[in-house]
Amino acid sequence: MLGPKNRKKFSLINSGILVEILEKYFNDPDSIDESEINLITSCFDVDLNNNSKSSTKTSIDGNYVRDFGYLHADINPIKENVNIINNENISAELSSNYLDKIGWEFSHIRDRSERKWFYDHIENIEINIDKNQKINLLKRLIEAENFEQFLHKTFVGARWYSLEGSESLITILDQIVSDSPNYDSINFGMPHRGRLNVLAHIFDKPYSEIFSEFREENINNMGSRKIDEYLRDVKYHLGAKKNKGSELFLYPNPSHLEMINPVILGATKAKQITNNKSFGVLIHGDAAFPGEGINSEFFNLSRLSGYNCNGSIHIVTNNQIGFTTNPENSFPSLFATDFVRGFDIPIIHINGDDIYSCIKATKVAIDYKNKFNKDIVLDLVAYRRYGHQEMDDPTITQPLMYEKISNHPSVTKIFSEKLIKEKILNEDEIGRIKSTHIQHMSNSNKPIENLETSIWPGEFNFDEINYETSSQSINIDELEKINKKLYKIDGKFNLNKRLKSIFDKRLKFDENLKLEWGHAEMLSLASLIKNNISVRFSGQDSQRGTFSQRNAIIWDSTGKDKIRLLDRFTNKDIYADIVNSPLSEMAALAFEFGYSIIENKSLIIWEAQFGDFVNNAQSVIDEFIVSSQPKWGLDSNLVLLLPHGYEGMGPNHSSGWIERFLESADNNNIAIANCTTSSQYFHLLRAHTLMQKQSNPLIIFTPKSLLRHPISSSSVKDLTSSKFKSIIKNRNVKNANKIIIGSGKIIVDIMNDPDYKKLSSKAELLSIEMLYPFPKIALKKIFDEHRNTKEVIWVQEEPQNRGAWKFMRERVDKILPNSTALKYVGREPSAATATGSASVHKIQQKRIIDCILK
């Protein structure tokens, strides 16, 4: 239908919309309305009003078949395509290439050269598979099928989310690995369905180990020989690695299905930045692929300059069902893959029962990814032979579908019969291959006395986190040199007037200069880069800073140039990437997590625009950041900056949800800080990076209104004469009878109040700078120094059911002298985090401070 002259028009308009209209029309002409007809006829020389479904088929030409053959191809192994084209005008060659077991969906791509590449490649690629290769293909299918059947028979009642019905996935993955010898590493991400099969047959995880995990025996011989450390996650979430030409990594993944995808993207980007030639292979489920919003975020990230890792290969294991939900209730479009067309991504639909088509489609996908450095999707149309998991009965909800599946031969049987027909093997030879493999699995299903787990990464550590001992001082001369190099701007550069005033002030460097938060931060980052530590800093508006406090990149006022200030300290091996992220939290944070597990000796920072926005990434925090070490032994040094503080800006710009992080903190899995001064923040970033121990994520609740506050701005002298402290004594009272404890902004508000001078001279005011690990020893030492203390007050600006109160109460109570009472001062419990009224906020805040100062 679309000849060369029309293809040009097609590439200049919203091709995705037109494709959808044309798809609907060719499936059912009556399904499109007059406005859609007018849109098509205004762009192309056709008259849809005078065409019927039957007449359309008689007028179909080669151009139409090339562009829309995927709508008519035989791609579904358990459902006949009612739109099969039988037209004498279509050549046998065209029919074989475009209307057989592969549906090539690429006509929506805007780049004409890419479309031409597809035409040429599809019609000219030769797939030559010799006898030995065919036998090996069959052996792989037999291994995949036998493995699943062995588990059914041997471990009755267990669950593992079988690959059965999609065994051709193994041949596709084999092809990707064998056709990518020039890559240093391949990073795989996949959900739980088929994972054990992939672990066994792509990553060579021993059958004996997999079977032992089912039996859960010899627990004390696993891992570090402690029962509590055996299989901290279910066996179908675990990772693996393997050296096979390229280094293969299967990253651990929780049941949050598609959550791993941006993690793989981040890990791949981190490897590429250190000159490791790497790419990602991502396996999806057909219901989750369009259903999970993180995929749209992920594809939006994947072509942006700070995130682009030159394309991934995506495989949708299309079971044509989601748990018990039919496709029409899972997504509104024709295919589960339709949403990626808007990202200019080609899609190849493959009949999962046809192994040769799987090989051809995979080769084309690899060639496309290597040629254009873009994502490509393989839609492996197959089925799920049994239920969602092994104890599920799918006939309850899909009786007709599963009646058809129960009578449908497996892909192994189909391919076996093909090889018998080709006289490559006979039935007896195939039977011997099967029995030999079954015997191998039976021999592996025996207890092994000294079995060691191959769980990757698998090192479970609970090292103490101590930022005080790892904090390093810096002398004033070194800091002054860094400051001058950072802020000295050539007069030819047209610096924004406001920034020029700020930079001029920062260049007047002496020991009395007050370092605002952003100034101290930039000095800290520059000092680390100068010491050969790379920095990646990302988030919404991070280059300038949400509150114009950072200005890590400055722009010439005439728009001609820009300067990346931290690049002044980099070299060929050390980078300083300050990245403005898209308006995404979940995928963006997951990307940085993936990046940080590879570059865990660099400083990797993700900043929320406001602390509350981290809500949109809560699953990433729960499933990866706070639990990846205890679940999988997977280390990350990621730093989260969450602007936190109550200024009357409402429930969505106040709280970084301190309580959630504290509830998730244990076994030294993370560190949680709430600094009150710029010098503390300066030293904390350095201590985190310079610490000689396992990597841990660090959560820092950063200020908003305190960014330029005189009390929070440390002098150069204070900074150069100090290190990080977990607790700050703000008054240094001797023999106090009252101790007030708080964290963050509320402490500054108290000290800044006009009535602060009225606070009893016998009252100490402590700032808890490191909330977790809880500074138990340091705080108990302070209590012991004040034997006459009658009461200890915890003060916070958050509501009583939020903030750090519950966490602190449990721990402070245990170290208080018996005669000392612990009291709470703060807002009343509230279902909302904060008020939206500035006036109400001021009244509430004043009430809290007056209660402390009375």
Side-chain angles (χ1 to χ4, degrees), residues 137-203:
L137 282 170
L138 179 61
K139 286 180 178 179
R140 294 297 272 167
L141 290 174
I142 288 172
E143 289 171 355
E145 183 179 278
N146 276 356
F147 175 75
E148 302 289 0
Q149 292 178 355
F150 185 86
L151 294 180
H152 281 293
K153 295 174 183 177
T154 309
F155 305 106
V156 179
R159 68 173 67 184
W160 63 93
Y161 302 94
S162 162
L163 185 63
E164 287 157 293
S166 303
E167 292 92 338
S168 48
L169 173 67
I170 299 300
T171 65
I172 288 174
L173 296 179
D174 277 339
Q175 196 67 48
I176 291 172
V177 173
S178 66
D179 281 8
S180 305
N182 295 325
Y183 284 91
D184 299 314
S185 62
I186 307 175
N187 306 298
F188 292 82
M190 71 177 298
H192 45 264
R193 183 164 304 284
R195 194 179 186 94
L196 292 189
N197 215 308
V198 170
L199 282 167
H201 301 120
I202 302 299
F203 287 86

Side-chain angles (χ1 to χ4, degrees), residues 632-651:
W632 308 313
L634 190 61
D635 294 340
S636 164
N637 70 336
L638 183 61
V639 177
L640 272 63
L641 303 183
L642 306 179
H644 174 91
Y646 282 46
E647 289 100 2
M649 294 181 67

Side-chain angles (χ1 to χ4, degrees), residues 472 478 526-533 569 574 686 690:
Q472 297 182 14
E478 182 181 357
S527 72
L528 290 168
I529 298 165
K530 183 174 177 289
N531 286 327
N532 293 320
I533 294 173
F569 302 88
I574 302 299
R686 283 169 50 83
L690 298 171

Side-chain angles (χ1 to χ4, degrees), residues 536-573:
R536 177 181 166 91
F537 194 132
S538 73
Q540 295 156 20
D541 302 320
S542 287
Q543 293 178 347
R544 189 193 72 180
T546 296
F547 312 99
S548 296
Q549 83 280 13
R550 182 167 300 116
N551 298 299
I553 298 177
I554 56 175
W555 286 263
D556 189 290
S557 297
T558 64
K560 294 179 181 178
D561 197 7
K562 64 181 178 182
I563 299 174
R564 301 175 181 272
L565 297 179
L566 292 173
D567 280 356
R568 296 174 168 186
F569 302 88
T570 61
N571 57 53
K572 65 181 180 67
D573 298 318

Side-chain angles (χ1 to χ4, degrees), residues 506-549:
R506 291 180 178 181
L507 284 168
K508 295 176 181 177
F509 197 86
D510 61 40
E511 65 178 19
N512 297 314
L513 177 66
K514 288 281 191 175
L515 299 173
E516 296 175 347
W517 203 271
H519 190 185
E521 177 187 77
M522 288 292 287
L523 289 173
S524 183
L525 298 179
S527 72
L528 290 168
I529 298 165
K530 183 174 177 289
N531 286 327
N532 293 320
I533 294 173
S534 293
V535 171
R536 177 181 166 91
F537 194 132
S538 73
Q540 295 156 20
D541 302 320
S542 287
Q543 293 178 347
R544 189 193 72 180
T546 296
F547 312 99
S548 296
Q549 83 280 13

Side-chain angles (χ1 to χ4, degrees), residues 644-651 653-655 704-706 745-746 749 796-799 826-827 833-850:
H644 174 91
Y646 282 46
E647 289 100 2
M649 294 181 67
H653 292 83
S654 299
S655 174
K704 296 173 288 177
S705 60
L706 303 185
K745 175 176 169 288
I746 190 64
D749 285 352
Q796 66 178 36
E797 57 181 356
E798 300 86 0
R827 283 173 170 78
T833 53
T835 178
S837 165
S839 299
V840 171
H841 162 76
K842 289 177 183 177
I843 293 169
Q844 291 176 336
Q845 200 80 346
K846 183 62 176 170
R847 188 186 299 155
I848 293 169
I849 294 171
D850 286 348

Side-chain angles (χ1 to χ4, degrees), residues 2 10-11 13-20 23 67-68 70 104-111 115 118-119 337-349 374:
L2 302 184
F10 193 65
S11 66
I13 57 179
N14 192 327
S15 52
I17 293 175
L18 291 179
V19 168
E20 290 184 11
E23 279 184 1
D67 288 343
F68 296 103
Y70 66 91
W104 306 96
E105 187 176 0
F106 60 88
S107 59
H108 58 278
I109 296 177
R110 295 178 176 91
D111 190 318
R115 297 198 305 276
F118 267 109
Y119 299 133
T337 54
D338 279 356
F339 80 97
V340 304
R341 294 192 304 198
F343 296 100
D344 221 31
I345 294 171
I347 304 148
I348 307 175
H349 307 277
K374 284 180 60 182

Side-chain angles (χ1 to χ4, degrees), residues 2 111 121 129 395 398 445 643 684 703 715 747 811 844:
L2 302 184
D111 190 318
H121 224 60
I129 305 174
T395 63
Q398 280 81 19
N445 188 28
L684 180 59
S715 70
I747 297 296
R811 288 155 180 79
Q844 291 176 336

